[in-house]
Amino acid sequence: MGKYMLIISCSKTKSNMPGEALYVYDGNMYKILRRYINMMQNIDVYILSFKKGLINIHDKIEPYEFNPKIDDILSKLDELDYKFSKILNDDIDELCLRLSGKVVEIILPIIRRYYSGKITIIEGTFQTMNLKTEEWIKEHIETKTIFDY
């Protein structure tokens, strides 16, 4: 069984109720994730938020309003370095980044300090990134048959 990691951006659209990040963020990418989450035991998913930093989709958060700027992520580089050092290792078969090009450019050198394996970078419009990310998820989820139990 492969081990994979997906890092996605936060969403401007949010619910108004606190809870797991997967359910607080409510953009289209999160709707896709919720559709597959029960099949993604071999995929760890993290969110890179300009306000919250790097969080797991199961971390509890409060809804918030925020107008992100690239300086917000630059101010979190030490925190990101620490968190990446804790979650990244070469036991991961592939890392997928669904982030803006500027953010990838900023964090990729940090990621490469702790991970030397395959990295897939998903770019394009939001719609294109959502479609490509959904395809990536489908290709990497472990499907079990009745004979696997």
Side-chain angles (χ1 to χ4, degrees):
M1 176 187 323
K3 181 177 177 184
Y4 306 99
M5 185 176 291
L6 172 63
I7 300 176
I8 62 174
S9 57
C10 61
S11 170
K12 183 177 181 179
T13 308
K14 298 171 196 70
S15 74
N16 58 4
M17 300 291 294
E20 288 186 9
L22 176 63
Y23 300 100
V24 172
Y25 293 115
D26 202 32
N28 289 331
M29 182 71 251
Y30 289 86
K31 292 173 182 164
I32 292 168
L33 278 175
R34 291 193 290 266
R35 202 171 338 163
Y36 293 99
I37 194 64
N38 291 330
M39 296 177 276
M40 295 173 56
Q41 292 85 2
N42 61 320
I43 304 173
D44 291 327
V45 182
Y46 288 87
I47 301 162
L48 184 58
S49 162
F50 280 34
K51 182 173 174 92
K52 304 276 185 189
L54 188 67
I55 60 174
N56 186 281
I57 59 167
H58 299 296
D59 288 351
K60 305 274 194 263
I61 65 169
E62 298 280 331
Y64 61 90
E65 291 297 322
F66 190 63
N67 189 13
K69 297 172 188 60
I70 203 68
D71 287 345
D72 297 316
I73 204 70
L74 293 171
S75 70
K76 295 189 177 331
L77 291 182
D78 288 340
E79 173 191 335
L80 290 173
D81 188 280
Y82 176 76
K83 287 193 175 181
F84 281 127
S85 77
K86 297 297 180 195
I87 66 168
L88 292 175
N89 60 62
D90 285 333
D91 291 339
I92 299 167
D93 294 308
E94 184 178 345
L95 171 64
C96 180
L97 302 176
R98 185 212 174 270
L99 305 164
S100 76
K102 185 66 175 170
V103 173
V104 170
E105 182 182 313
I106 291 167
I107 67 165
L108 199 53
I110 298 171
I111 288 171
R112 281 298 185 201
R113 286 184 205 144
Y114 307 105
Y115 178 70
S116 61
K118 180 179 179 183
I119 297 178
T120 297
I121 299 172
I122 295 177
E123 300 175 295
T125 65
F126 283 120
Q127 184 177 10
T128 299
M129 290 193 307
N130 289 346
L131 290 171
K132 288 180 179 180
T133 305
E134 184 173 14
E135 288 171 12
W136 186 90
I137 290 168
K138 286 179 183 178
E139 289 172 11
H140 293 84
I141 55 177
E142 294 289 332
T143 55
K144 293 185 177 185
T145 67
I146 193 167
F147 301 108
D148 294 323
Y149 292 96

